[in-house]
Every structure is written in structure tokens, then in C-alpha cells.
Amino acid sequence: MKAYFFCFLLCLTSILKVNAANPGSPTNLRTSDKINTIGTNDHPFFGWYVNDIDENEIQSAYQILLASSAEKLAKGDADIWDSGKTKSRLQNYIDFNGKTLSPATRYYWKVRTWDKDGNVSPYAAFTYFDTGLFKAADWNGALWIRRESKDVNDYTYFRKEVSLVNKTIKKAIVYLSAYHNYELYINGDIIGKGLAHHYPQYAYYNAYDVTGKLKSINTLAAMTHWYGGGQGRPKGDSRFILKLIVTYEDGTKAEFGTDKSWKQIPVAAFNPATAKRGGEGIGFVDVIDSRKALTDWNKPDFNDADWQQSKEIGAHPSAPFTGELQPDLTRRIEKTIKPVAVKNLGNGRYIIDLGKIYAGVPDISFAGGKAGDTVKMLGGFVLKEDGTVSEKINQSTNLTYSFVLNGNTAQFKPIVYLGYQYLQVNNSPIVLTTENVKFIVRYYELEPERANFNSSNPMLNKVWGLMTHSVTLGAQEDFVDTPTREKGGFLSDGWSQAVSAMITMGERAMNHRVLLQFLDSQDQYWPDGRLNAVYPNADGKRDIPDFTQQYLLWVWDYYLQTGNTEFLKTNYTRIKKVAAYVSAYSNPKTGLIEKLAGGSGPYAYGIIDWPSNMRYGYDMESTSRTVISAYAYADFDIIAKIATIIGQSADADLYRAKAVAISKAINKELINKDGVYIDGLLSDGTQSKHVSQHANMFPLALGIVPAANKKAVINTIKERKMSVGMVTLRFLPQALGLAEEASQLLKLYTNTQWDGWAKNITQGATATWESWNALERNDSMCHPWGTSGLDGMQQYFLGVRSIKPQHELVEIKPLDFKGELKNVSGSVPTDKGDIKVAWERDLKTYQLTLQSPANVTANVYIPKGTSSSLIVSVNGKPVNGKISGNYILLSGIGSGKHTFKRGL
């Protein structure tokens, strides 16, 4: 049989080699994960798609040429960097290694690739990127400015006219930073909105190409909004800086920067002295008086004679903004949607139903009414029996708006976003319909259209839709826990959402930025290696021990998706400190982690899960907790792998030994007489009597359960159905998936009687909740940490798992649902292109179709069924596989479209 298999492969290879075509030109060229990137740092990285019509192709090498001009690049004069022919399958996160780059400069590059047989592609059509401002000196000519104000909720308009000489513009780039938010306009056209919030010493800036927006005389205008500190938003102070650099075709430049000559005025329509919304510092209730609204304030010819000059704070750096401004490449995406329904309740009252929870702001044009009359509005999640919005189910947040009419036409459009499904409008002067009510949805950096999954189970499809929609709710300035109550970048919430965004929507830039932010929290607060539990934030030093432990899992997830080795190298010292912090609390007697320092009250020694009822009785009296030691095993194992990758062999050996040691300790100390795991050891060293799903799913998911105990551990997990909350949720599908408990896994996602996504959907959920019983507790009903279940859907239903970084090697192994699930199809976005899988099964046959982009190799697992044959039909030809448990394994399946069939 083996001889037949190798003969088949040899013949196939020979045929392909004879007929092999040269690769096509690479496409989708990206710099630092963006196309035509504006504002990179001085060390960008590069990526592309390989194009090759041949099946089973890989990229064996690449060559990048980078030049200071398009003309030089066209001639092959790579005066900045010629990578030479570099043998590598990497096709993203190729780090720049040429001459020193200059700030505020455009560079041009192209790439070609070689296939496995040494055939070379043509060069790609060239692309470009623009570097940003690297150092404080690069901001010369621009000063931090502000409007002098004691408002705690400060809205300010700025504007300045600038004139250009009569020359052809080659390019024009604007760089700006503001605290906290801005809207930038040129000649009345919106240019961009931001900004990502960070502590002042780490503050970000954005850059935009505005070449096509400029005329001979231009009005630069911005609205800024500063509103103190809150979760996800350090206080800082109100300020704004902008620099515009115009480069003409003759090589000359003109530069314009903020200074006292910029005119400013408060945005009078926004009342700065309103009530706080509650929650955790998310801001103030919007009270907008349309009688005071300015029109055309951002356009040329506006009369700003009564505006005041700006207050100059000074050049950058200026305390507390003491560090170099960092480029933020993430961008806000806004889309306008119509409500699915508008119900007229009579007497000027309406219920606007968006169909599901969205994050954003309403946009309604009111007309008529009496000047001075007020339209009251209330956002919400649930309707009462009388059809009005419930004030009680509100995530402990004031979701009201007030809009004062002007008697004519007036646009109601708040600035600060919230998340909700319903908006109740009282005292509307006009009839509201689905045609005159809009809602502006917002999220950062995502491509929701790439999220693709379908199956024969309607509820499974709804659960996928619930989770993928929820990803868009949390992807705001950071991966926030909720767009309503807190807007905080919690580490555990961030990990859950960030990985889901990567694996379903191809997100990269936000993951990279937020991972670095949490390392900033270590530098700022935690010399022992801990990380802030929420960061950035207004309440300073704050940690939760197991959130810090989760950070290394996030790092490893990110590396497997991206292959970004430079991230590991550059940040290794800080990343390793996380594992060192955990290791410092190893009890020398038991080998377990005991009283892991951090947190307070219900968070001390580890939160385990949250809210507290989502612990399902986990024994919090235990001081050596099973979950904490299991995280420690994962942390040590990950650091050992990272150390190996970057050549730190001594650390690799040290942490590999630590991982082995703690896995043995877990199995020695934490298994009871029934052969299953208890919640931990009590302070006197005795075992807890409580057996939780948490304590058993972790060892199973991490692969440390002894063979003799697996059956008992699996049964213990299954008996508890869904008995975990969102902090640990990812590990339950992982445990069941690795144990190949297909039927139980399907129930976990679709059983409407168990706690879980399906039950919540029957209760009206349109987004994942903070807890499975959020409706009863008034917990958050838009809390995207529940999206971690997407990982299990991709790995065990669709069957795609990355084995080597950047999907160089993937495993295609859908579980065998034996008729309970008849078919699944979907795609997984990767840095090489989308991997597409479709499988279907009946009682007698199984068919799987795999379509992979060039440079992806797959190990494909086909259910063995009851047949003893090792033959699988691959594209209509018999191929001999090998037995791997309950599957037939076909190794080394290359790119292209392959259909596998087998009788069961």
C-alpha cells in the first residue's frame, strides 16, 4: 500500500513539474498590515499574496526591492533595500532591513516570488507607504494647542485657513493627535475620526493622505472632545496638535502646524454641564441644543471673526505628554443603517428598533416643532409589556438623550457612541419612519464580510452570527468589554475578542497595538511582571492574576496567526517576565501555584470566572487553585516555545522543565479518589471537596490528563453541560473538541435548555452577554467576550487549525458528527488568502472539499467509519492514507482545490 501511495505522489509530482507554470505577480501588497500605509514607524514590515495557478504550490523564496522613487524602482534601482533572493515561505511580517528610513517620506516597493521548482514570478505592480513622524523634532512647526476651559466635558471647534502656491501637488499628508477624540475636516469634507486612547506618555497620532482634498486656499478644521478619565480612557488634558506637509512636484515643500493663530470656539450646541451616564466613567448624558448649532463652521468663507485665538501649550514633548507620539494605524469604520422597524406609540412617541444591538450614534433630522421644545430619547435593550423601553435593564447606565428643537430643520447626531438595540423618542415634532431615521454603526479595523460559516443546523448558524456580530461591538478604540457601560480594554475580554477577530475577519493591526499596550502597563506599574487587568484606564494600577496569565496565550495565538517573530524578539524580556511572575508563587512542597499575588476581594489569587455566579460553585477557599496552576502550565510551555523560536535555549530548557514539573504536580495533588480534578488545595494542604467543570476542562484542553483518567474527566465535563462563564469559556469547546466528543460539542452550541449561546438567543439575545443569565441580573447584554466560542467552531466544526505560524501548515479535521450534523462550509482568513472548507456526511459517505491559497500545506483527516480500508478518493483518484485514531490522515496536501471522498 505504501509503495502505491508514494508511486501516486511521484507520478503526480512529475506531471505537475512538467506542466508547471511560472507564478503570477504577487498581489495584495501590504506594509505593516495595511495597503498604501500612511504613517508607519521607522521599521515597517511587508506582506503579499502569492498567485500561482498550479496546484500544490509553495513559495520557496522572495525578493523585495524598495526605492526612494517610483522611477528608480521601475529601473530596478533599489537604493533603499534589496532583500536579495531570500529562501523563505514567509509572505507577511517580513521586516525591513535596509538603509535608515526618513520621517514623513514616501517609499516605493515591489516583490517577486519563486515556486517550489525554482520558477520565478514577475514583479508585482509597485506600491508605496509613507513613514510618519518618528521623533519630537519631526513635529517642529506644530504646537500643542487648546481652548482654555474648565469644562469637564469639553467640545471645541478649531479652524485655520492656509494658502498654497500655484504648483502641482505631488502629495500632502496630515499628522495629528488629540485628547481624547477628534473629527478632522478639510474644506468641509471629513478626513478622519479618532483617536485610540492611551496614557499621555504613550499617546498616539494618526496620519492621512489628503492630496486630493487641497485647493489654493484651504480651511483646516477640527472638532475635539475631551471628557476626563474613565475605563479605557486616561484623563490626560484637553489638547490638539496637527502638522500638514505638502510636497510639490518640483520637490519643494510647504508645512503648516497648529499654533495660536488657529481660531477656536466652544461647541455651544453641546451642553458641557450635564449628568454623568453612570457605568464606569463612560462620559456624560448628551444634551444638545440645536438653536445654538453652527452650520458650515468647517467650510471656507465661514466668518470666524468672533472666534478666539488658541492657547499655545508648547511644542512636543509637553508634560504630561512626555514620550514620542506613536503612530496608530487602526482606523474607524462607519456605516449607516436603517432601523428594521419604527413603531408609532402615539402622541409623538416612537420606538426605533435597530434589529439587534449596534454600537454607534443615532442620526435623525427633526423638522418643525416649537423652538425650545425638547425631544427626549432613551436607548435600551428590552421592551416592557407596554412597548416602551425598559429603564431597568440598562447595564447600570443612563442611556438618555435630550435634543432641543430650533423650530426649523435640525440634525440630532451625538458624538459619543453607545451600544443598544432600541431607541425610544418622546415628543417628536415629525412622524418617524424607517426612511428618515438612521443609525451610524462604528467599529475598528474589521472585515466582517470575511466571516463565513454555514451548516445544516439553523441554531448553529445563528450562534455563529451572534458571535461574529458581537466582535464588531467590541472592536472600538481598543477591544472593549462593552460599548455601553465601561468601554474598558480588559485583558481577558480583549484576548477573547482579538483572537476571534483574527480568525474570522483577518484583523491584525489592532491585535498588534493592544498587545503592546498591555506590555506598556507592565513598564508603568508592574516591575514583577504583572499586567494591568484593564488598560488604558483612569484608575491606575489594577490587576487580576489570571488575566495576566492569559496574556501569554494571546501572544501565542497572535504568533500562530501571523508568524510575527519580530514581535517575540523585540518584546521577549517583558513577555518572559509574565511567566517569571507566575513561577515565583510556586509552592516548593506541592509544586503548584499558591496564592498568586494580585487582585483584591473576589479577585484575590485569581478571579477564575466572572460574574461570580458563573463560577458554578468553584471553591474560592482553595489557595492552590487548579485553574491557576493549569494556566501556569500553559504559560511555561508557551515561553519555552517562544524561547526556542528566538534562540534562547537556556530559557527554553528552564521553562520546558517548569511545564513538565507543574503538569506532574497537578496530576499528583489535584486528582481525587474518583480520578477527576478538584478545584484546588485548601490553605492546610487538604483537597477541596468541590469538583467543577473548570478544574477538569483545563487539564483536558491543555493535554495533561493521564490516559487512565481521561474517561472519568470527560464524563465529569459532560455531566456539567455548560457550567463555566466567559472568562474561561474558550477551554470548554477545546476540551470537548480534542476529546472528539462531537455530539456533546454540538449540544454545547445548540441546546436551548442549557446555559449558553443558544438559550440566550431564545431569550432575545442579539449579542453575547456578560453572563448566561444577564437578563435576570441586569448584567451587560452586549459583552463580546462570549465570542471566544468562535475558535471552537472553526477548529472542530469547520475543522481548520493552524499548526505552523502564518498557516504554513494547517490541520483540516472536522469532528465526525455521525449524522447529527449533515454539512458545514465556511472560510478562514489568513495572511496568504482564505482557506475554504466544505464537508457533508450521510450514513454511508463522507465528502470534504478543501480550497487553499498557494503556500499553504494541509494535513487532512477523513473519518475512518467502520471501513477497514485506508483508501480515500482525492480528486477522483485513490490515495492510501494512514490511520490516526478515528481518522484516515492524508499528509502534505498542497494548495488548490481538492475533493476527498470516502465510504463509511
Side-chain angles (χ1 to χ4, degrees):
M1 285 292 189
K2 287 184 178 180
Y4 176 87
F5 177 57
F6 287 123
C7 179
F8 170 78
L9 287 182
L10 181 62
C11 293
L12 178 63
T13 302
S14 299
I15 293 169
L16 290 173
K17 189 168 184 179
V18 169
N19 298 316
N22 283 16
S25 301
T27 55
N28 196 32
L29 274 60
R30 289 106 62 205
T31 306
S32 299
D33 280 323
K34 312 284 284 186
I35 294 173
N36 294 339
T37 316
I38 309 297
T40 73
N41 62 17
D42 61 352
H43 194 71
F45 52 85
F46 306 97
W48 55 85
Y49 282 0
V50 172
N51 288 288
D52 200 318
I53 62 173
D54 295 331
E55 291 186 343
N56 306 301
E57 271 295 359
I58 65 168
Q59 171 192 284
S60 62
Y62 65 82
Q63 183 178 17
I64 297 173
L65 301 183
L66 197 154
S68 58
S69 71
E71 293 75 19
K72 287 185 177 180
L73 189 64
K75 297 175 183 176
D77 180 6
D79 60 328
I80 304 300
W81 183 37
D82 181 350
S83 70
K85 183 179 179 181
T86 303
K87 293 183 178 179
S88 173
R89 287 184 65 176
L90 282 180
Q91 59 183 88
N92 199 6
Y93 301 92
I94 311 298
D95 290 288
F96 172 72
N97 191 27
K99 295 179 181 178
T100 301
L101 299 180
S102 298
T105 302
R106 179 164 292 177
Y107 294 95
Y108 301 82
W109 69 279
K110 60 185 179 181
V111 63
R112 61 177 175 173
T113 63
W114 282 261
D115 68 12
K116 69 176 186 289
D117 299 313
N119 300 311
V120 66
S121 77
Y123 277 107
F126 77 81
T127 188
Y128 65 84
F129 65 93
D130 283 274
T131 55
L133 304 180
F134 301 155
K135 301 292 184 183
D138 300 332
W139 288 89
N140 284 347
L143 303 176
W144 285 107
I145 61 173
R146 67 158 59 106
R147 175 176 67 88
E148 288 285 27
S149 169
K150 295 182 179 179
D151 293 339
V152 296
N153 188 26
D154 179 356
Y155 290 90
T156 301
Y157 287 143
F158 294 94
R159 57 179 278 129
K160 169 76 173 181
E161 279 199 357
V162 299
S163 298
L164 303 180
V165 297
N166 187 21
K167 296 181 181 180
T168 302
I169 297 173
K170 182 176 183 180
K171 68 165 184 170
I173 308 294
V174 64
Y175 310 86
L176 79 160
S177 184
Y179 229 64
H180 291 102
N181 301 319
Y182 71 83
E183 292 185 359
L184 176 67
Y185 300 85
I186 293 182
N187 300 323
D189 293 335
I190 185 70
I191 301 301
K193 300 179 182 182
L195 190 67
H197 304 142
H198 205 345
Y199 282 89
Q201 66 269 34
Y202 302 117
Y204 297 113
Y205 72 90
N206 292 150
Y208 299 94
D209 186 337
V210 295
T211 306
K213 297 293 184 179
L214 298 181
K215 305 173 183 178
S216 58
I217 299 176
N218 302 275
T219 298
L220 310 181
M223 185 192 74
T224 64
H225 179 214
W226 174 86
Y227 54 125
Q231 291 292 25
R233 190 181 70 254
K235 184 176 181 180
D237 60 36
S238 177
R239 59 175 61 201
F240 170 55
I241 190 170
L242 176 148
K243 186 171 184 176
L244 169 65
I245 302 178
V246 179
T247 304
Y248 297 105
E249 286 288 356
D250 64 6
T252 60
K253 293 184 179 181
E255 298 186 1
F256 308 90
T258 43
D259 59 19
K260 66 181 180 181
S261 68
W262 280 62
K263 294 291 195 72
Q264 54 78 18
I265 194 172
V267 183
F270 285 86
N271 186 339
T274 66
K276 292 184 177 180
R277 286 199 177 276
E280 296 196 26
I282 65 169
F284 301 83
V285 172
D286 293 87
V287 177
I288 304 173
D289 189 339
S290 65
R291 296 171 300 176
K292 300 178 181 179
L294 286 181
T295 57
D296 300 333
W297 65 271
N298 52 11
K299 294 181 180 179
D301 302 323
F302 178 84
N303 185 0
D304 59 12
D306 60 344
W307 290 29
Q308 303 299 308
Q309 285 191 330
S310 295
K311 170 70 175 180
E312 291 181 353
I313 301 171
H316 185 75
S318 171
F321 291 76
T322 54
E324 302 291 0
L325 293 174
Q326 303 182 82
D328 172 33
L329 300 181
T330 64
R331 294 290 182 270
R332 186 195 305 183
I333 296 169
E334 291 188 341
K335 297 181 179 180
T336 299
I337 64 169
K338 294 181 179 181
V340 298
V342 177
K343 185 175 182 180
N344 189 339
L345 300 181
N347 297 319
R349 297 187 306 157
Y350 295 86
I351 296 295
I352 298 166
D353 183 0
L354 302 177
K356 59 181 70 172
I357 296 169
Y358 286 97
V361 297
D363 184 357
I364 306 172
S365 290
F366 292 102
K370 182 180 177 183
D373 282 356
T374 299
V375 179
K376 296 281 189 178
M377 286 166 268
L378 173 66
F381 305 93
V382 173
L383 299 180
K384 296 186 293 188
E385 289 185 3
D386 65 359
T388 60
V389 167
S390 170
E391 302 94 337
K392 293 182 179 180
I393 308 298
N394 64 353
Q395 297 187 188
S396 303
T397 305
N398 186 331
L399 298 176
T400 62
Y401 303 97
S402 291
F403 187 62
V404 181
L405 300 174
N406 62 11
N408 296 306
T409 300
Q411 183 185 32
F412 171 69
K413 184 180 176 184
I415 300 301
V416 177
Y417 72 95
L418 291 168
Y420 49 76
Q421 177 174 346
Y422 300 103
L423 181 66
Q424 180 174 328
V425 179
N426 296 330
N427 197 34
S428 173
I430 62 170
V431 175
L432 299 181
T433 70
T434 56
E435 295 302 315
N436 60 16
V437 173
K438 296 180 287 186
F439 192 85
I440 302 173
V441 175
R442 50 170 276 160
Y443 50 81
Y444 274 66
E445 280 307 292
L446 303 179
E447 297 180 82
E449 62 277 5
R450 295 184 75 179
N452 185 0
F453 180 93
N454 191 52
S455 77
S456 57
N457 187 303
M459 179 55 75
L460 190 63
N461 300 337
K462 290 179 182 179
V463 169
W464 170 271
L466 180 84
M467 287 193 279
T468 52
H469 174 66
S470 299
V471 171
T472 69
L473 298 176
Q476 301 299 333
E477 292 84 5
D478 296 296
F479 292 108
V480 301
D481 60 333
T482 166
T484 305
R485 186 183 71 227
E486 292 172 298
K487 302 184 183 178
F490 282 82
L491 198 160
S492 184
D493 301 64
W495 171 47
S496 299
Q497 299 171 53
V499 175
S500 297
M502 280 195 293
I503 64 175
T504 63
M505 301 179 192
E507 203 291 312
R508 297 290 184 266
M510 181 87 81
N511 268 267
H512 187 245
R513 171 163 67 74
V514 176
L515 282 168
L516 289 172
Q517 282 177 194
F518 278 108
L519 292 178
D520 290 340
S521 80
Q522 186 186 83
D523 293 343
Q524 185 175 0
Y525 293 125
W526 304 108
D528 68 350
R530 278 178 265 181
L531 306 169
N532 250 36
V534 53
Y535 192 84
N537 58 318
D539 51 356
K541 187 176 183 178
R542 176 180 176 188
D543 75 315
I544 297 175
D546 26 0
F547 283 21
T548 292
Q549 289 183 292
Q550 288 180 342
Y551 180 79
L552 294 185
L553 283 82
W554 188 353
V555 168
W556 189 248
D557 284 331
Y558 172 74
Y559 174 68
L560 276 181
Q561 291 293 312
T562 67
N564 189 351
T565 306
E566 184 64 26
F567 174 84
L568 303 181
K569 291 178 180 177
T570 303
N571 301 291
Y572 178 68
T573 300
R574 296 188 291 174
I575 292 170
K576 187 179 74 168
K577 283 175 71 175
V578 173
Y581 147 69
V582 175
S583 180
Y585 293 89
S586 177
N587 183 319
K589 184 176 179 180
T590 64
L592 302 172
I593 303 302
E594 183 177 26
K595 294 184 178 180
L596 181 60
S600 60
Y603 305 157
Y605 312 146
I607 193 173
I608 304 300
D609 226 324
W610 191 258
S612 56
N613 64 303
M614 294 292 97
R615 297 189 184 120
Y616 292 87
Y618 195 100
D619 189 350
M620 299 301 285
E621 294 299 314
S622 58
T623 53
S624 292
R625 296 172 181 167
T626 305
V627 166
I628 299 300
S629 288
Y631 276 130
Y633 167 79
D635 291 339
F636 300 157
D637 179 60
I638 288 168
I639 287 297
K641 289 186 285 194
I642 291 173
T644 299
I645 291 164
I646 66 173
Q648 297 287 339
S649 57
D651 282 348
D653 293 341
L654 173 65
Y655 280 97
R656 193 172 294 113
K658 287 179 181 288
V660 170
I662 199 167
S663 66
K664 290 180 178 178
I666 289 169
N667 289 333
K668 178 184 177 184
E669 302 289 344
L670 299 174
I671 295 178
N672 68 10
K673 61 181 177 59
D674 297 321
V676 299
Y677 294 89
I678 44 86
D679 289 354
L681 300 184
L682 304 179
S683 57
D684 62 2
T686 60
Q687 287 190 341
S688 166
K689 297 189 183 320
H690 191 261
V691 174
S692 64
Q693 193 173 51
H694 296 85
N696 285 272
M697 72 182 185
F698 267 82
L700 186 61
L702 296 172
I704 59 178
V705 179
N709 298 78
K710 280 190 176 180
K711 184 176 180 180
V713 168
I714 291 169
N715 286 338
T716 296
I717 294 170
K718 291 170 65 175
E719 288 165 2
R720 285 155 178 77
K721 302 173 182 175
M722 173 76 85
S723 295
V724 298
M726 313 307 174
V727 175
T728 61
L729 177 59
R730 172 168 162 175
F731 294 92
L732 182 54
Q734 188 173 326
L736 293 172
L738 290 174
E740 297 179 10
E741 292 287 341
S743 181
Q744 183 78 3
L745 187 67
L746 183 61
K747 291 186 181 74
L748 191 75
Y749 282 85
T750 61
N751 191 312
T752 59
Q753 303 305 307
W754 296 4
D755 282 354
W757 303 279
K759 181 178 179 180
N760 289 163
I761 287 173
T762 66
Q763 294 171 318
T766 64
T768 57
W769 291 355
E770 182 176 9
S771 58
W772 300 125
N773 59 347
L775 188 60
E776 302 166 19
R777 293 168 44 90
N778 194 21
D779 290 335
S780 166
M781 298 180 74
C782 51
H783 222 82
W785 59 357
T787 62
S788 62
L790 288 167
D791 185 75
M793 293 190 73
Q794 282 203 335
Q795 289 197 40
Y796 306 114
F797 290 95
L798 192 60
V800 181
R801 184 164 70 98
S802 181
I803 304 299
K804 290 187 177 181
Q806 210 175 100
H807 296 85
E808 180 179 315
L809 177 64
V810 298
E811 177 182 275
I812 308 298
K813 189 180 182 182
L815 295 187
D816 184 4
F817 293 89
K818 299 180 179 178
E820 288 189 74
L821 192 61
K822 295 181 173 58
N823 59 72
V824 171
S825 62
S827 62
V828 175
T830 81
D831 288 335
K832 294 174 167 63
D834 290 358
I835 298 173
K836 299 179 181 180
V837 174
W839 62 262
E840 55 186 63
R841 187 199 200 281
D842 58 28
L843 295 178
K844 296 182 179 180
T845 59
Y846 183 92
Q847 177 173 309
L848 183 147
T849 300
L850 167 66
Q851 189 169 345
S852 298
N855 207 21
V856 171
T857 304
N859 291 335
V860 179
Y861 293 78
I862 303 299
K864 182 160 59 73
T866 58
S867 171
S868 60
S869 170
L870 299 181
I871 298 295
V872 176
S873 170
V874 182
N875 294 337
K877 298 180 180 180
V879 175
N880 212 20
K882 66 178 182 180
I883 293 177
S884 178
N886 295 315
Y887 293 83
I888 302 297
L889 168 62
L890 302 170
S891 300
I893 304 299
S895 62
K897 187 174 183 179
H898 304 282
T899 299
F900 305 84
K901 292 182 180 180
R902 177 173 168 80
L904 301 174

